[in-house]
Amino acid sequence: MSTRPLYYFLGKCQKVRQEAPQAGEILIHYITMKQSILNPNNLQTFAKEHKLQPFRVKQIIQEIYDNQNIRFEDMTTLSKDLRQQLDENFEILSIIPETILESEDNIKIGFKTHDNFTIEAVILFHRSKHEKESIKSKVHKVESQNKGPDDLTTLGPDRPLNRITLCVSSQIGCPVNCVFCVTGKLGIKRDLTRNEIISQLLFANNFIKTKFGKKDDQTLRAVRNVVFMGMGEPLINYQNVKKSIEIMIAQAGGFSLGKRHITISTAGIIPGIEQLIKDDIPVKLAISLHAPNQKLREELMPIAKVYTLDKLMKTIDDYVKVSDNRIFYEYIMIKNKTDKPELATQLADLLHGRLAHVNLIPYNMNPAIKLEESDERTIRAFKDILEKKGITVTIRDSLGRDLKSACGQLGYEKIANRHCEE
Ligand code: SF4
């Protein structure tokens, strides 16, 4: 087994350096060729060979999913010998945590795959307004004591959280190539496996445990919501996404997440939505709509030429009929492109009578794409038009903007660097 440190790359030119995150954390990691313990068959074979009792196998699984451990040496309910044997035979994570970038509201994690690609996941911390207020006053207090800025940016157990969401990637890059999305500019390398998707969640839970410790009631904080909104189009990688969801919702040998705490965000892959109906997977569905008519949608999302708006809306209606789930429509606010008042009226007409909620997402600017974000007044006016027509609307809090981990920005550094070198 060899070890080698990997370093976060900030880019060479000044333009990129201004935009890119200013701090990175170096992680030492291990590159292994061991088999994955996440495949139940591997663990069963090992148990047979080593004459392990079923309760021992159960303990190992609990150490991973319930106790949120990603190193065998930390599994203190197991004997030292067993921990050593497991360590010699298995890996837990199928991807290697490489970089961690933190801000107050989110943490972006860069992982390396075994075939040397980079993917990203983002932990999002949600707090109530009241808690945000208390943080502000705390920051003020620390400033007045002349402590350094580092004291202001670290989350701690004294700052209670409402909930923790993990935004996971489902592919390396994305084949859909929406014009406003940085990930789309990467192209597609390959689908992520079930274990690679699950590993993002395992690492996030371990990170949260290490960072916050136990709660007062001695339970552990953990990710409670998973959104497939990272790199990739989840419904193109349907089978692996489905298998990962099975583990997310499993009570034993899984994360015990509620089905309604998992959201699949899709650009509108009709066969994938139809398959969700057939397989009876009642997770939440978010549709990246981004335009209320076929012409504009085709301009922004080439996939709309294949899966037209009419057919998409009909398929969504079928999904709502069987799941009775409200659909979240993602709508990006791009200056002079998607933010015109007449488009708000069209959007309201399109969603009239449908079980719908609209998320308006302020466009996140980046140097590789020549689009601009809408101003706040325009976004509010757009929202007002929708609300007056009876549509419920949220303006998405652009959590993650500072770390380039907000919507459409995963893979930012790769693209920004490429753009800079051109
Ligand atoms: S917005 Fe989603 S579907 Fe479109 S290119 Fe980006 S990652 Fe792919």
Side-chain angles (χ1 to χ4, degrees):
M1 187 168 64
S2 66
T3 65
R4 70 183 165 105
L6 292 172
Y7 300 90
Y8 187 73
F9 178 62
L10 283 177
K12 289 178 193 156
C13 67
Q14 189 58 31
K15 192 172 172 192
V16 170
R17 236 181 261 129
Q18 283 168 356
E19 295 290 331
Q22 294 300 304
E25 184 175 330
I26 301 162
L27 296 177
I28 305 288
H29 65 75
Y30 301 92
I31 295 180
T32 72
M33 293 306 289
K34 298 171 185 174
Q35 53 182 338
S36 173
I37 201 161
L38 302 179
N39 292 346
N41 287 347
N42 291 344
L43 185 54
Q44 287 305 338
T45 307
F46 175 87
K48 215 181 259 176
E49 284 169 7
H50 291 77
K51 299 189 176 26
L52 289 187
Q53 297 293 321
F55 82 91
R56 279 274 176 248
V57 175
K58 204 172 156 194
Q59 259 182 333
I60 295 168
I61 292 168
Q62 279 172 342
E63 282 284 5
I64 296 170
Y65 292 103
D66 301 341
N67 299 348
Q68 300 173 204
N69 284 317
I70 56 169
R71 281 172 294 271
F72 293 110
E73 66 196 59
D74 296 335
M75 299 183 176
T76 49
T77 63
L78 308 178
S79 70
K80 206 173 166 193
D81 280 355
L82 179 54
R83 281 184 262 163
Q84 204 170 334
Q85 285 170 347
L86 289 169
D87 193 39
E88 282 162 11
N89 285 277
F90 293 111
E91 66 174 15
I92 300 176
L93 299 182
S94 300
I95 44 178
I96 302 146
E98 185 187 38
T99 59
I100 292 181
L101 295 167
E102 285 190 61
S103 75
E104 189 175 282
D105 284 330
N106 67 79
I107 294 172
K108 179 158 84 167
I109 307 153
F111 295 96
K112 206 65 147 179
T113 62
H114 283 314
D115 49 355
N116 214 27
F117 290 113
T118 300
I119 60 160
E120 292 171 346
V122 184
I123 305 172
L124 302 161
F125 299 104
H126 305 268
R127 298 190 194 85
S128 68
K129 271 196 178 129
H130 169 75
E131 284 157 351
K132 281 192 173 165
E133 283 307 313
S134 76
I135 288 166
K136 268 188 207 156
S137 55
K138 220 171 247 193
V139 166
H140 179 75
K141 201 171 150 202
V142 176
E143 275 172 339
S144 68
Q145 289 167 357
N146 281 333
K147 293 198 177 168
D150 287 345
D151 297 308
L152 312 180
T153 54
T154 309
L155 286 160
D158 56 330
R159 293 178 182 180
L161 301 166
N162 270 357
R163 61 199 155 89
I164 304 174
T165 296
L166 182 69
C167 174
V168 293
S169 291
S170 55
Q171 295 183 302
I172 302 173
C174 181
V176 176
N177 200 17
C178 303
V179 298
F180 49 81
C181 175
V182 168
T183 310
K185 302 279 170 263
L186 294 170
I188 179 70
K189 305 300 178 210
R190 67 169 171 82
D191 290 340
L192 291 181
T193 64
R194 177 200 68 165
N195 290 351
E196 287 170 327
I197 297 170
I198 286 302
S199 294
Q200 296 170 58
L201 186 46
L202 287 171
F203 181 79
N205 274 348
N206 177 266
F207 185 87
I208 291 162
K209 167 180 150 169
T210 308
K211 189 168 183 64
F212 295 108
K214 284 187 176 165
K215 293 192 274 188
D216 290 346
D217 63 4
Q218 295 303 301
T219 58
L220 291 170
R221 285 185 179 82
V223 168
R224 276 293 157 255
N225 299 285
V226 171
V227 292
F228 283 87
M229 289 186 186
M231 288 179 162
E233 163 52 62
L235 292 185
I236 291 179
N237 184 14
Y238 185 86
Q239 286 306 328
N240 288 320
V241 167
K242 181 186 163 201
K243 286 180 203 160
S244 71
I245 289 173
E246 284 164 2
I247 296 180
M248 287 173 194
I249 61 180
Q251 300 283 332
F255 296 90
S256 308
L257 294 181
K259 286 175 191 148
R260 285 168 194 262
H261 289 240
I262 298 169
T263 302
I264 290 182
S265 175
T266 175
I269 309 298
I270 291 176
I273 300 171
E274 290 171 340
Q275 198 60 45
L276 283 176
I277 297 170
K278 275 190 203 139
D279 291 343
D280 189 22
I281 303 179
V283 293
K284 281 200 212 164
L285 198 58
I287 302 291
S288 297
L289 191 67
H290 303 313
N293 62 61
Q294 178 66 19
K295 187 165 175 286
L296 181 58
R297 200 155 188 272
E298 274 186 24
E299 193 186 316
L300 296 173
M301 307 173 75
I303 196 82
K305 290 177 191 154
V306 183
Y307 304 120
T308 60
L309 186 58
D310 281 356
K311 285 186 188 151
L312 175 61
M313 296 312 292
K314 192 194 158 303
T315 311
I316 293 169
D317 290 343
D318 292 343
Y319 183 81
V320 173
K321 254 183 241 157
V322 297
S323 69
D324 204 27
N325 275 352
R326 180 179 295 269
I327 303 295
F328 292 81
Y329 290 90
E330 313 281 310
Y331 190 97
I332 196 157
M333 296 300 288
I334 304 171
K335 189 175 183 179
N336 296 331
K337 184 63 85 180
T338 62
D339 63 356
K340 297 171 188 163
E342 61 268 29
L343 294 175
T345 306
Q346 282 181 30
L347 181 58
D349 291 345
L350 182 72
L351 300 182
H352 178 75
R354 291 186 151 109
L355 202 52
H357 182 95
V358 173
N359 278 327
L360 296 179
I361 306 169
Y363 171 66
N364 289 302
M365 294 213 286
N366 62 69
I369 300 170
K370 290 186 177 24
L371 294 171
E372 287 178 52
E373 64 183 299
S374 307
D375 60 64
E376 207 180 316
R377 226 174 55 191
T378 307
I379 296 174
R380 295 218 168 274
F382 198 96
K383 180 175 184 260
D384 285 349
I385 294 171
L386 289 172
E387 283 179 336
K388 277 188 188 132
K389 287 181 167 279
I391 308 291
T392 60
V393 190
T394 309
I395 298 173
R396 166 105 38 100
D397 192 2
S398 267
L399 283 176
R401 196 174 272 231
D402 50 346
L403 295 187
K404 305 290 175 274
S405 52
C407 185
Q409 288 190 305
L410 295 187
Y412 178 93
E413 287 78 22
K414 263 206 158 93
I415 291 298
N417 291 339
R418 192 190 295 170
H419 178 78
C420 188
E421 283 158 8
E422 276 169 5

